[in-house]
């Protein structure tokens, strides 16, 4: 496999409104849709839509919609042999409100995702240890993600860790078990205590995270692009062209899935170029409503994004 994701699968219930409601307030929405979501599944589907051979390790409940989730994996070409089902609890669900400025707020109920265990990772040992890239987030138990990252890393697999949703008190081993740590502003704030108000503070936070042990840190800054810090890149701001955002839900996942695709399928593409391309893929996903359904396929992208790297 090119990309294996160990992480969350969710049903996204998305309501579109003019603005975000205030506490205690009921407001009218103007549109509703259901989409396939979950950070792990989103990242996996993004990589698959670009053409990577992908597999998902995840946990669902057992209701009508779960068959649809499995069907969706099949339709987009994600191997689901390690997506198991439980009748102990419901599937993960995310209630999402998208306002006219394209911003969202999300309540995530993990459900079955919390039952994805280290045992499930062990069952997927062969899959994980033979992947080109393994990607993990925090929608499943920390111990599960960490076990997957450690297994991958010790097998020489390239690992990407997305500490999302934001967590305090992350096990220190996460930092040494990933080749790339990629966080958004609020996640980076939780991990470092630095208030991320501008590019400068993002650069500071990225450097702090790098000193905890990860080779490369990327902090995504929404419409300002992302900051890349590694031995070769000193907090470089990688900008993204401005667009009119319709729905930013899953934009970070689109970025991560694309990044995983480029690492796996174009390993000689310089990281800075991979980040630039992944920024653009994510910005395209913001121009349509929905989560996975808004992620572009390879054929919908400008040709230069899919062009093989020119090697010098
Ligand atoms: O990152 C976006 C995702 O977070 C949504 O698809 C939703 O499921 C939440 O988990
Ligand atoms: Na979108």
């Amino acid at each position: 496999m090119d990309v294996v994701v160990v992480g969350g699968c969710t049903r996204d219930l998305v309501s579109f409104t003019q603005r975000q409601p205030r506490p205690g307030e009921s407001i009218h929405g103007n549109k509703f849709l259901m989409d396939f979501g979950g950070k792990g599944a989103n990242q996996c589907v993004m990589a698959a839509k670009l053409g990577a051979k992908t597999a998902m390790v995840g946990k669902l409940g057992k209701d009508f919609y779960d068959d649809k989730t499995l069907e969706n994996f099949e339709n987009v070409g994600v191997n689901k042999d390690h997506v198991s089902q439980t009748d102990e609890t419901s599937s993960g669900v995310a209630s999402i409100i998208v306002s006219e400025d394209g911003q969202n707020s999300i309540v995530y109920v993990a459900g079955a995702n919390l039952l994805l265990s280290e045992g499930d990772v062990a069952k997927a040992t062969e899959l994980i240890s033979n992947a080109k890239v393994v990607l993990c987030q925090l929608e499943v138990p920390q111990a599960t993600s960490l076990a997957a990252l450690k297994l991958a890393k010790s097998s020489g697999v390239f690992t990407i860790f997305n500490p999302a949703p934001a967590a305090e008190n992350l096990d220190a081993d996460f930092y040494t078990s990933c080749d790339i740590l990629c966080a958004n502003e609020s996640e980076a704030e939780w991990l470092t205590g630095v208030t991320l108000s501008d590019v400068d503070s993002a650069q500071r936070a990225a450097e702090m995270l790098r000193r905890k042990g990860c080779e490369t840190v990327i902090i995504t800054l929404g419409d300002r692009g992302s900051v890349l810090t590694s031995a070769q890149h000193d907090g470089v701001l990688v900008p993204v062209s401005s667009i009119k955002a319709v729905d930013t839900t899953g934009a970070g996942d689109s970025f991560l899935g694309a990044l995983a695709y480029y690492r796996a399928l174009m390993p000689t593409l310089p990281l800075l170029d991979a980040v630039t391309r992944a920024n653009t893929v994510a910005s395209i996903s913001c121009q349509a409503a929905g989560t996975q359904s808004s992620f572009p396929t390879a054929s919908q992208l400008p040709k230069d994004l899919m062009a093989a790297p020119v090697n010098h």
Side-chain angles (χ1 to χ4, degrees):
M1 288 291 165
D2 297 321
V3 177
V4 172
V5 179
V6 179
C9 310
T10 300
R11 154 192 205 173
D12 283 357
L13 310 178
V14 194
S15 298
F16 293 81
T17 61
Q18 204 183 4
R19 59 172 175 81
Q20 298 289 329
R22 285 186 276 270
E25 188 185 33
S26 299
I27 61 170
H28 275 280
N30 47 47
K31 191 169 90 171
F32 173 78
L33 61 81
M34 281 210 239
D35 206 337
F36 299 102
K39 295 179 196 300
N42 291 347
Q43 294 172 21
C44 196
V45 166
M46 182 70 248
K49 281 188 156 187
L50 295 181
K53 272 178 69 186
T54 57
M56 183 76 205
V57 180
K59 185 83 78 186
L60 297 171
K62 273 187 189 163
D63 60 32
F64 162 73
Y65 196 84
D66 298 320
D67 296 339
K68 297 272 176 223
T69 300
L70 292 171
E71 214 176 283
N72 175 57
F73 282 140
E74 201 152 307
N75 291 342
V76 294
V78 170
N79 177 293
K80 54 176 174 42
D81 293 352
H82 289 273
V83 179
S84 50
Q85 289 182 274
T86 175
D87 38 28
E88 281 176 54
T89 179
S90 65
S91 283
V93 68
S95 302
I96 304 180
I97 297 170
V98 179
S99 42
E100 257 169 21
D101 54 3
Q103 294 306 314
N104 63 50
S105 51
I106 303 180
V107 177
Y108 170 71
V109 180
N113 291 301
L114 286 183
L115 297 181
L116 189 72
S117 65
E118 291 172 74
D120 292 314
V121 170
K123 280 185 209 149
T125 298
E126 215 180 291
L127 181 73
I128 292 169
S129 55
N130 289 303
K132 289 188 186 148
V133 173
V134 163
L135 250 173
C136 294
Q137 315 73 24
L138 292 176
E139 283 186 341
V140 299
Q142 277 201 23
T144 307
S145 287
L146 189 54
L149 288 170
K150 281 185 171 171
L151 170 61
K153 183 96 175 155
S154 66
S155 315
V157 177
F158 192 88
T159 52
I160 305 179
F161 175 51
N162 172 220
E168 240 178 327
N169 304 326
L170 201 61
D171 189 316
D173 285 357
F174 272 106
Y175 297 103
T176 49
S177 304
C178 60
D179 293 301
I180 296 181
L181 182 146
C182 177
N184 70 13
E185 287 157 285
S186 64
E187 290 144 15
E189 282 195 15
W190 276 102
L191 296 179
T192 61
V194 173
T195 307
L196 265 75
S197 47
D198 50 17
V199 172
D200 203 58
S201 45
Q203 288 165 331
R204 255 185 301 126
E207 189 47 44
M208 273 175 76
L209 291 170
R210 212 171 87 79
R211 267 186 260 122
K212 290 179 193 249
C214 31
E215 273 282 304
T216 300
V217 174
I218 299 170
I219 298 184
T220 54
L221 302 174
D223 58 7
R224 282 163 300 161
S226 18
V227 162
L228 168 63
T229 296
S230 71
Q232 294 82 33
H233 307 95
D234 186 15
V236 184
L237 175 67
V238 189
V240 62
S241 328
S242 75
I243 47 119
K244 163 99 183 70
V246 172
D247 180 357
T248 58
T249 311
D253 300 332
S254 169
F255 176 87
L256 275 142
L259 186 67
Y261 166 86
Y262 290 122
R263 287 331 280 163
L265 277 297
M266 299 185 191
T268 61
L269 182 71
L271 186 56
L272 193 63
D273 296 339
V275 171
T276 307
R277 291 188 190 195
N279 270 347
T280 307
V281 174
S283 78
I284 291 171
S285 82
C286 295
Q287 295 171 60
T291 315
Q292 290 176 22
S293 60
S294 73
F295 294 175
T297 58
S299 63
Q300 293 167 330
L301 289 173
K303 293 245 167 340
D304 53 325
L305 289 186
M306 299 308 295
V310 188
N311 293 314
H312 302 285

